[in-house]
């Protein structure tokens, strides 16, 4: 059976894609699933869950939601079993959630499913998350490297990598990508941020403000440089960029000197930015006069 699978996957796209439609009940997808329809796996090797750590996770989920979807196996139309993520499932129940984002796996015919996955990857109507899930499934099923997978499906390795990275995004962003509320350009820009909470903050601004990919790239670039950004009346500060006591004193001094709330940001490497806001043309003229006076006093 294993030999058959390997041969089928290795025949190439020309041999797999025919004029006849390949039908399969095996697939991978991401959906919001009611917790009441989910059961734990009785063969789960992990039996003990640290109650304190579980409570901490529940509080985190209550605050920002599920970051990484769990993985389920569909047993029937209204029944699912956990493959991976029982701890997230238990914490979600504790947090009072009624649904949870999950990758759904069905595998009634693995041979046909792999053939269909490779064919479907070439279809233009698949969204980027569906393609990412298909790539991930092929890697897991056959133990392929990204390099080998790129050869099998006729795509550059960088393309494979970019799709797989989408699966590292927080679940709400993956759901939005699936529902075409954002496109892959938005998602790829968010991947430049390491902090899931910041990713979700920017994602919410994309939805509420209708930001273009270029705008998101500008915001992410500023945050990555240690700068705070204003969006929709909110100030978003990059993680780990709290000013030292010395820089805070300098910022306060500048605020007092210019008579306005000067913004100062600084990265751990010492690179930063000073921003002097003004409220009107006359306020700008006042600030310019201060700068001019400094130049004259040199």
């Amino acid at each position: 059976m294993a030999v058959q699978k390997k041969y089928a996957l290795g025949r190439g796209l020309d041999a797999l894609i025919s004029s006849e439609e390949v039908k399969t009940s095996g697939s991978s997808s991401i959906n919001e699933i009611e917790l009441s329809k989910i059961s734990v796996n009785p063969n789960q090797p992990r039996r003990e869950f640290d109650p304190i750590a579980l409570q901490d996770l529940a509080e985190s989920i209550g605050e920002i939601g599920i970051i990484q979807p769990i993985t389920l196996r569909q047993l029937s139309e209204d029944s699912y079993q956990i493959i991976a993520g029982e701890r997230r499932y238990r914490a979600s129940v504790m947090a009072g959630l009624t649904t949870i984002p999950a990758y759904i796996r069905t595998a009634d015919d693995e041979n046909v499913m792999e053939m269909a996955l490779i064919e479907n990857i070439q279809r233009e109507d698949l969204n980027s998350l569906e393609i990412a899930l298909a790539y991930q499934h092929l890697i897991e099923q056959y133990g392929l490297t990204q390099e080998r997978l790129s050869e099998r499906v006729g795509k550059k390795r960088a393309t494979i990598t970019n799709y797989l990275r989408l699966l590292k995004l927080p679940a709400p962003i993956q759901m939005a990508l699936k529902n075409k509320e954002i496109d892959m350009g938005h998602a790829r820009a968010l991947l430049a941020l390491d902090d899931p909470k910041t990713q979700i903050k920017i994602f919410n601004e994309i939805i509420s403000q209708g930001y273009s990919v270029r705008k998101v790239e500008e915001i992410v670039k500023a945050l990555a440089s240690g700068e705070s950004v204003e969006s929709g009346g909110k100030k978003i500060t990059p993680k780990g960029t709290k000013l030292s006591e010395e820089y805070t004193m300098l910022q306060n001094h500048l605020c007092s000197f210019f008579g306005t709330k000067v913004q100062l940001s600084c990265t751990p490497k010492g690179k930063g930015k000073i921003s002097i806001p003004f409220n009107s043309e006359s306020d700008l003229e006042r600030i310019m006069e201060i700068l001019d006076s400094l130049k004259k006093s040199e």
Side-chain angles (χ1 to χ4, degrees):
M1 189 69 172
V3 175
Q4 260 189 329
K5 286 184 180 181
K6 186 174 181 180
Y7 174 71
L9 185 61
R11 292 188 307 175
L13 292 174
D14 291 339
L16 289 174
I17 302 176
S18 65
S19 58
E20 296 181 0
E21 181 182 1
V22 179
K23 296 183 179 295
T24 176
S25 57
S27 63
S28 296
S29 62
I30 181 172
N31 289 289
E32 286 281 347
I33 303 298
E34 293 179 25
L35 289 171
S36 60
K37 296 180 180 180
I38 300 173
S39 61
V40 300
N41 187 340
N43 298 317
Q44 158 72 270
R46 184 178 186 180
R47 299 297 180 185
E48 299 295 329
F49 294 87
D50 184 339
I52 297 177
L54 201 60
Q55 181 61 45
D56 288 343
L57 179 58
E59 291 175 0
S60 174
I61 289 173
E63 180 184 354
I64 65 173
I66 289 287
I67 295 296
Q68 182 65 31
I70 66 174
T71 303
L72 303 176
R73 179 166 67 97
Q74 187 165 7
L75 302 177
S76 64
E77 185 176 350
D78 291 317
S79 177
Y80 303 86
Q81 188 179 78
I82 297 174
I83 295 176
E86 183 174 340
R87 184 169 173 268
R88 277 164 282 162
Y89 162 78
R90 289 173 177 267
S92 297
V93 173
M94 292 175 63
L97 271 61
T98 57
T99 63
I100 190 171
Y103 299 129
I104 311 301
R105 297 285 176 83
T106 58
D108 293 339
D109 188 339
E110 289 289 344
N111 283 328
V112 177
M113 179 171 62
E114 302 313 327
M115 294 170 65
L117 280 176
I118 294 179
E119 177 179 1
N120 288 341
I121 287 171
Q122 312 305 314
R123 288 167 44 195
E124 295 181 357
D125 61 334
L126 284 183
N127 63 52
S128 53
L129 191 65
E130 289 171 328
I131 293 174
L133 286 167
Y135 286 153
Q136 183 65 33
H137 188 97
L138 290 171
I139 286 174
E140 292 176 353
Q141 183 66 27
Y142 291 96
L144 300 175
T145 62
Q146 291 186 25
E147 184 68 35
R148 186 59 179 147
L149 177 60
S150 70
E151 295 172 0
R152 293 288 180 94
V153 299
K155 298 288 184 181
K156 293 181 179 179
R157 180 179 177 180
T159 301
I160 302 290
T161 300
N162 285 333
Y163 275 109
L164 291 174
R165 289 178 68 218
L166 298 177
L167 300 179
K168 296 181 180 180
L169 287 167
I173 302 177
Q174 291 190 37
M175 292 297 295
L177 197 56
K178 174 201 171 186
N179 297 330
K180 299 183 179 179
E181 297 172 19
I182 61 173
D183 60 33
M184 188 170 178
H186 291 107
R188 288 183 62 181
L190 292 173
L191 282 166
L193 298 169
D194 296 327
D195 179 38
K197 289 186 178 180
T198 305
Q199 288 176 331
I200 291 177
K201 286 180 181 179
I202 302 303
F203 162 69
N204 289 334
E205 293 302 298
I206 294 172
I207 299 301
S208 63
Q209 304 298 323
Y211 285 149
S212 65
V213 173
R214 178 182 287 273
K215 177 64 175 178
V216 176
E217 289 173 342
E218 292 174 354
I219 292 174
V220 169
K221 184 178 180 180
L223 290 172
S225 299
E227 302 175 19
S228 297
V229 297
E230 296 284 344
S231 176
K234 302 176 182 177
K235 183 177 180 180
I236 301 175
T237 303
K239 183 180 179 181
T241 57
K242 186 177 180 180
L243 292 176
S244 65
E245 183 178 351
E246 183 181 32
Y247 277 109
T248 299
M249 291 176 61
L250 176 58
Q251 183 182 38
N252 293 335
H253 177 71
L254 290 171
C255 290
S256 176
F257 184 80
F258 285 102
T260 187
K261 190 168 180 60
V262 176
Q263 296 177 353
L264 189 151
S265 63
C266 183
T267 68
K269 294 183 179 180
K271 183 179 179 181
K273 179 180 179 181
I274 295 174
S275 176
I276 307 174
F278 55 89
N279 299 317
S280 61
E281 287 187 12
S282 60
D283 195 28
L284 174 60
E285 291 176 1
R286 179 185 65 81
I287 293 171
M288 292 304 297
E289 287 176 359
I290 294 175
L291 293 172
D292 287 341
S293 65
L294 290 174
K295 186 175 181 181
K296 291 176 182 178
S297 63
E298 290 180 354

